[in-house]
Amino acid sequence: LYRSVAPPLLEGVLEGYNATIMAYGQTGSGKTFTMGSEAHRDMEISENTGLIPRFMTDLFQSLQHKQEASSEAASAQGNNLNTSVSFSKVDTLIEYSMEASFLEVYGE
C-alpha cells in the first residue's frame, strides 16, 4: 500500500505542494494500524509500520539528502571559483521549513 500511495505525494511535498493521506472506514477495519498512529517510540521501519511514520521517515531522509547534495555542490563551486567569477553563483544551499498536522477523529 505504501509504495503505491506515498511516492507521488512525497515528490509533491518536496516540490512545495500540500499532501493529505486519509483513512475512512468502519470501526475495527484497520485504519489506525494502516495509518500508523499507534507507532511506538522505536522508529525502526518494518513491514508493520504504518503510512505516517514511513512517510515522515522518507520525507526527512529526502530533505537531508537534498541538503547534503546542495552543500556539496556549493562547496565544489566554491573550490572552483577564480577572481573573475561572482560569488552569487555559489547560491545553491537549500534550507527547508515544514509544517505538519495530524488529526484523528473519533465519532462513534
Side-chain angles (χ1 to χ4, degrees), residues 89-108:
K89 291 189 177 189
V90 187
D91 209 16
T92 58
L93 289 178
I94 296 175
E95 289 187 25
Y96 293 95
S97 175
M98 185 181 77
E99 293 181 29
S101 298
F102 177 84
L103 176 67
E104 195 165 351
V105 177
Y106 293 96
E108 298 181 54

Side-chain angles (χ1 to χ4, degrees), residues 73-88:
S75 179
Q77 279 185 345
N79 291 337
N80 293 329
L81 288 178
N82 61 36
T83 54
S84 65
V85 177
S86 168
F87 280 96
S88 65

Side-chain angles (χ1 to χ4, degrees), residues 10-16 58-74 92-96:
L10 182 59
E11 185 177 319
V13 166
L14 292 171
E15 291 175 2
D58 287 352
L59 175 62
F60 285 116
Q61 285 177 350
S62 296
L63 293 175
Q64 183 175 0
H65 290 271
K66 284 180 175 279
Q67 195 165 35
E68 289 169 358
S70 171
S71 181
E72 289 173 11
T92 58
L93 289 178
I94 296 175
E95 289 187 25
Y96 293 95

